[in-house]
Amino acid sequence: MAERKYLIAGNWKMNLDVKSAAELARGVVARAARFRNVEIVVCPSPVLIPAVAKILEGSNVGLGGQDVSVQVSGAYTGETSADQLLSAGCGYVIVGHSERREYHFESDELVNGKVKRALASGLVPIFCVGEKLAERKAGKTFERIDRQVRVGLSGLDAAAMATVVIAYEPVWAIGTGEVATPEQAEEVHEFIRGVLKSMFGAEVAAATRILYGGSVKAENARDLMGRPDVDGALVGGASLKADSFGGIIEGTGV
Ligand code: PEP
């Protein structure tokens, strides 16, 4: 089986200011230093990226954006381009987060455009998928995930897929304190790997990292990441404290 390095990414969302983000970044750098076999990333708001980038310099903590424009550049007020993220020191970008899908009406097709735009600039997309509670209750989880993955990654070839990271984030578990059980997470991760296999072949499917996101904490991280198809975590709330984020990194057990 392909070696998949754990990836732990913190989504700081619209929290912190320049001073508190710098403090948190220092704390993460200190706790991350001994984990050389885990990829660690933090994703601050665009305005905080320059201050955080300075602190991450020379560390083993990577930097990512929380969203990216589908456009290259120009008159798109309020948007941030992939090249701007790259030039500010980002190597990653979250794409298709459920909060973008919900509050900004991002469709699977738009998310696909953003994945491609990120890749074209050399950023690693952390491509998010996940069902809503009503979809899970209606037995439509796999149908929803299947569409999100197939449309979100359509038009990519195996070489492009080599850099894409997928995050399975059940919407009902984000910020709610209600975490998917390790069995629920594994079941969907395994399903996603099957979809990847049918789209890109067995080798790509085995090599692609699939993160779990949704109320991950130090206390539940180890069980989740102990599952064979769970390759790390996308963390919201618990990434805002260096100790809890550090505890989640520790949960990789490597
Ligand atoms: C997220 O928003 O990506 C997330 C997983 O949030 P939380 O950890 O707070 O549920």
Side-chain angles (χ1 to χ4, degrees):
M1 203 178 65
E3 243 328 281
R4 297 191 300 265
K5 192 175 188 178
Y6 280 111
L7 194 160
I8 308 294
N11 175 7
W12 291 357
K13 308 196 183 185
M14 199 172 71
N15 293 298
L16 308 164
D17 58 16
V18 171
K19 188 163 175 272
S20 55
E23 251 163 54
L24 177 57
R26 272 185 219 102
V28 172
V29 166
R31 282 157 188 82
R34 70 189 168 92
F35 296 97
R36 290 287 154 183
N37 295 317
V38 183
E39 220 168 297
I40 299 159
V41 178
V42 295
C43 303
S45 302
V47 73
L48 305 177
I49 285 174
V52 173
K54 241 186 235 167
I55 290 158
L56 301 187
E57 245 172 46
S59 79
N60 61 330
V61 181
L63 187 59
Q66 298 175 6
D67 180 37
V68 65
S69 176
V70 72
Q71 307 294 343
V72 177
S73 66
Y76 300 99
T77 304
E79 301 238 347
T80 307
S81 76
D83 284 349
Q84 287 172 331
L85 289 173
L86 195 75
S87 72
C90 290
Y92 305 78
V93 66
I94 298 168
V95 177
H97 190 278
S98 66
E99 286 151 17
R100 299 293 314 173
R101 293 177 186 263
E102 178 78 10
Y103 307 137
H104 300 268
F105 313 108
E106 293 197 2
S107 64
D108 292 333
E109 290 75 11
L110 177 68
V111 171
N112 175 241
K114 290 186 172 198
V115 167
K116 288 175 175 161
R117 180 63 59 216
L119 286 169
S121 290
L123 293 171
V124 173
I126 302 175
F127 163 59
C128 303
V129 297
E131 81 287 0
K132 293 182 183 172
L133 185 57
E135 290 164 336
R136 176 161 280 264
K137 283 190 170 160
K140 296 206 157 133
T141 298
F142 296 118
E143 192 184 309
R144 183 72 192 109
I145 301 291
D146 186 75
R147 184 177 202 282
Q148 287 177 328
V149 173
R150 286 187 192 278
V151 178
L153 300 177
S154 83
L156 268 57
D157 59 17
M161 265 312 289
T163 49
V164 175
V165 173
I166 298 179
Y168 167 57
E169 299 206 304
V171 180
W172 48 271
I174 296 181
T176 58
E178 191 171 339
V179 65
T181 64
E183 292 74 23
Q184 284 172 320
E186 173 62 20
E187 187 184 32
V188 178
H189 284 225
E190 202 183 342
F191 174 78
I192 292 172
R193 221 175 280 291
V195 178
L196 294 176
K197 188 174 173 192
S198 77
M199 292 177 76
F200 304 103
E203 210 175 304
V204 168
T208 302
R209 287 177 297 179
I210 306 175
L211 316 183
Y212 169 78
S215 299
V216 177
K217 306 190 237 349
E219 296 75 35
N220 56 31
R222 192 173 289 268
D223 272 357
L224 286 160
M225 290 189 287
R227 298 292 148 153
D229 288 295
V230 180
D231 307 311
L234 179 54
V235 187
S239 70
L240 294 171
K241 295 266 182 291
D243 277 341
S244 51
F245 193 58
I248 292 168
I249 301 169
E250 185 114 36
T252 59
V254 297

